[in-house]
Amino acid sequence: MQAESDRALSELASYAGKLLLVRGTRFAFAGNGCGHSGGGNQVLTAAQVSSDPKGQYSLAMGESVDNRMASAINPGAREPLTLLTGSNEGYLPVVLSYRGAKQLRGADNDPFTVYKRMTGLAGMDQSVVDQVATRRKSVNDLVRGQLQDLLGTKSLSGADRRRLDLHLSAIREVEVKLACTVPEMRERELDGINPVDGKNYETVTKMHMDLVALSFACDYSRVATLQLGQGNDGTQFAIPGYRSGQLLPRFHQISYRIFSDGAEGNPIEGAQEMHHEIDKLHARLFRYLLDKLQSYAQPNGSLLDNSVAIWTNDLGHGVSHNYVNIPWVIAGSAGGYLKQGQYIDAGNVTHNQLLNTLLNAVGARKADGSPVDDFGDPSLKKGQISGMLA
């Protein structure tokens, strides 16, 4: 990462010792009329793609790995957080999370809606919600009496007090950020405009990541997915410091290198460079998530050390729409289960083996207590990727 500082992953150089980069995995099944849909169906499920519906409407024929994790390790088997940066309408708006065969889970693209649900504000009197949203009152104020009683407990250790203070500070930080952006987001919603465009993509993504870290730290949900954009992604990025921050062409067209969402169109001059800058932007966003997880101290390391954060894609290669050599950037060892500071080649295996490895890393097991080796379609070769294990 240091030697090749022009590469996109060099944005993650500060976390090199906590990364596990995996190449050599592939999706097992062909798409059914739409490469993006077929890839989105499989990336977290390792399941077959439905024959009906098909095309852009195809669905996975099995549950997703976040769903299995949540049922195994979440308090009360609570469902995973399922978040989206972008519109939840359009071409392939939501693709990642499945409760079971053809049971696609919806995703929340409004951080404030997620926040209200996490903090118990959902369903409360609107005047209270408005006070929080405008920073006149904090969620912390609503439980101040209980907090004072807790802090007065003699058995509360110094470490517990520091964790509580960090938790309260994190809540307030999220509130301040949400208060600055919610009115603008509501206005866009009322106008019927896509709630995320090139100007606010980073802000909303970071707010989602704040909520993911907060959710893990306060044990609301130990599992989350965050989908950035959608199939045939029309996001027009504006990257500070690049081309004077002007809006770039639609991302899907940049990835094709032409002004078209199909096979033919006029070339986009500088498309490869634009794509590289967008990759770097996404690497910086992933680093932001790692920063947030790293900021939470726990008795045996940081929250990042005890978690596993993954950046991946629904395709191995954009223009060809192939499912070979899917990229996996993995951070955190899940408490020491996974290797770190390594770049490994899995050897062209189907990616269900990688998902099995991740399930075991977070503590999920089969009904008989043995390690998970059979996630995904039953026809796939069982097992983990041994090269990922610490």
Side-chain angles (χ1 to χ4, degrees):
M1 288 180 171
Q2 293 175 343
E4 298 184 33
S5 59
D6 60 325
R7 306 287 291 189
L9 284 185
S10 68
E11 299 286 348
L12 302 176
S14 60
Y15 284 99
K18 295 189 177 186
L19 295 181
L20 174 61
L21 309 181
V22 182
R23 63 169 287 124
T25 72
R26 56 184 171 83
F27 298 159
F29 307 107
N32 188 7
C34 175
H36 287 289
S37 185
N41 298 161
Q42 296 182 73
V43 62
L44 295 187
T45 69
Q48 295 196 38
V49 178
S50 67
S51 57
D52 182 23
K54 61 183 181 179
Q56 73 185 80
Y57 303 107
S58 68
L59 297 168
M61 297 303 295
E63 71 172 328
S64 54
V65 70
D66 61 304
N67 193 75
R68 176 71 67 85
M69 287 179 177
S71 64
I73 68 172
N74 252 359
R78 174 179 281 142
E79 290 205 327
L81 284 183
T82 312
L83 309 176
L84 168 69
T85 294
S87 174
N88 52 21
E89 298 179 353
Y91 190 93
L92 294 180
V94 180
V95 300
L96 284 181
S97 186
Y98 282 82
R99 296 183 178 92
K102 296 186 181 181
Q103 298 177 38
L104 178 64
R105 179 182 280 110
D108 289 300
N109 68 347
D110 182 352
F112 191 61
T113 298
V114 179
Y115 176 72
K116 288 192 293 183
R117 187 167 64 248
M118 286 176 57
T119 56
L121 287 174
M124 293 187 68
D125 184 88
Q126 188 59 41
S127 63
V128 176
V129 176
D130 289 343
Q131 284 182 324
V132 172
T134 57
R135 287 186 283 181
R136 291 195 299 272
K137 180 174 288 194
S138 169
V139 166
N140 298 335
D141 295 326
L142 305 181
V143 292
R144 190 159 299 283
Q146 293 96 318
L147 289 173
Q148 289 175 344
D149 292 341
L150 179 61
L151 290 170
T153 303
K154 293 182 179 179
S155 60
L156 198 66
S157 69
D160 287 336
R161 291 176 185 275
R162 288 191 294 273
R163 290 179 64 191
L164 181 60
D165 181 67
L166 178 61
H167 173 64
L168 298 178
S169 298
I171 285 179
R172 197 67 192 123
E173 180 182 347
V174 171
E175 287 176 343
V176 170
K177 291 183 178 180
L178 288 169
C180 295
T181 59
V182 167
E184 182 182 352
M185 292 181 67
R186 285 179 176 169
E187 182 178 354
R188 286 196 299 275
E189 181 181 359
L190 290 173
D191 289 341
I193 298 174
N194 188 326
V196 173
D197 59 27
K199 292 179 290 187
N200 56 28
Y201 184 97
E202 291 184 72
T203 300
V204 174
T205 298
K206 288 178 178 179
M207 290 167 62
H208 280 316
M209 290 174 170
D210 290 342
L211 295 176
V212 168
L214 183 62
S215 174
F216 289 2
C218 68
D219 214 16
Y220 175 82
S221 174
R222 302 174 186 178
V223 186
T225 61
L226 172 55
Q227 177 183 324
L228 304 185
Q230 57 180 263
N232 289 16
D233 189 17
T235 302
Q236 288 187 264
F237 292 95
I239 302 175
Y242 178 67
R243 299 202 172 195
S244 303
Q246 65 183 1
L247 283 179
L248 302 180
R250 297 173 64 243
F251 181 41
H252 189 246
Q253 295 182 351
I254 289 174
S255 70
Y256 276 22
R257 313 294 193 247
I258 56 176
F259 286 106
S260 172
D261 293 311
E264 298 181 359
N266 294 325
I268 299 177
E269 184 177 354
Q272 183 169 337
E273 180 188 72
M274 294 177 190
H275 200 160
H276 180 58
E277 291 297 326
I278 294 170
D279 284 344
K280 289 167 63 178
L281 168 65
H282 284 108
R284 291 192 293 272
L285 288 171
F286 188 62
R287 186 181 67 204
Y288 179 88
L289 173 62
L290 304 188
D291 287 342
K292 299 303 294 187
L293 295 173
Q294 181 70 17
S295 70
Y296 285 90
Q298 297 187 316
N300 56 341
S302 70
L303 184 56
L304 175 60
D305 295 324
N306 294 307
S307 302
V308 55
I310 302 155
W311 174 25
T312 188
N313 206 336
D314 61 348
L315 295 173
H317 186 264
V319 177
S320 64
H321 288 60
N322 72 36
Y323 297 156
V324 178
N325 198 25
I326 304 300
W328 300 95
V329 179
I330 301 172
S333 69
Y337 192 90
L338 300 174
K339 280 183 180 176
Q340 298 198 291
Q342 299 283 326
Y343 174 45
I344 70 167
D345 190 332
N348 194 35
V349 300
T350 51
H351 82 293
N352 63 302
Q353 295 184 34
L354 183 141
L355 300 183
N356 285 332
T357 309
L358 296 176
L359 281 164
N360 291 316
V362 303
R365 293 294 183 267
K366 295 167 70 172
D368 63 3
S370 62
V372 178
D373 63 358
D374 59 354
F375 184 77
D377 190 82
S379 67
L380 301 177
K381 183 178 179 180
K382 297 181 179 180
Q384 302 185 73
I385 298 176
S386 60
M388 294 176 60
L389 307 182

